[in-house]
Amino acid sequence: QVQLVESGGGLVQAGGSLRLSCGASGRTLNGYYMGWFRQAPGKEREFIAAISWRDANTYYAVSIKGRFTITRNYDKNTVYLQMNSLKPVDTAVYYCAANWGNWAAATYGYWGQGTQVTVSP
């Protein structure tokens, strides 16, 4: 089992920045991919970014590439999502997730509870 706890969401004005954190516990993460997803009201869940825990290779959705950056702190078992140049369309609940062996899976095996990000015009 992998337990995930997100933090760092909040209200920010358009053009601003936020950094989300996701603390992981329960088992070693080597071999896992850590991902960030988001879901806006009335919309499907959307993949944002993923990172390989072992070698920190990163993968991004085209819609956010260049604005968001995913990183991980190996020693702290924590994944981050730095979000810059935020837009109102980025408003959503952001979820951290973990999956074994495949960053592009249709769904991930473990999920956090989500953190709300609201971007005002």
Side-chain angles (χ1 to χ4, degrees):
Q1 291 285 337
V2 178
Q3 290 81 43
L4 303 169
V5 179
E6 303 101 330
S7 61
L11 174 64
V12 64
Q13 287 189 329
S17 299
L18 279 176
R19 188 178 79 157
L20 306 182
S21 300
C22 173
S25 62
R27 64 186 307 164
T28 179
L29 295 176
N30 282 333
Y32 278 83
Y33 289 84
M34 305 298 293
W36 285 99
F37 294 75
R38 68 185 181 187
Q39 188 166 21
K43 295 189 176 182
E44 292 188 356
R45 187 173 61 201
E46 175 188 17
F47 168 81
I48 297 299
I51 187 167
S52 165
W53 190 259
R54 178 178 287 115
D55 55 20
N57 286 339
T58 56
Y59 311 87
Y60 292 97
V62 172
S63 61
I64 57 86
K65 198 168 185 179
R67 297 192 298 126
F68 293 6
T69 304
I70 187 170
T71 58
R72 62 105 167 93
N73 185 311
Y74 193 92
D75 293 332
K76 293 184 178 180
N77 261 25
T78 301
V79 179
Y80 303 96
L81 184 69
Q82 178 67 42
M83 304 186 294
N84 298 328
S85 302
L86 283 162
K87 307 173 183 179
V89 296
D90 295 317
T91 295
V93 177
Y94 283 70
Y95 296 92
C96 175
N99 200 53
W100 171 263
N102 182 4
W103 69 269
T107 188
Y108 277 37
Y110 301 98
W111 294 85
Q113 81 286 357
T115 186
Q116 177 70 46
V117 171
T118 303
V119 184
S120 63

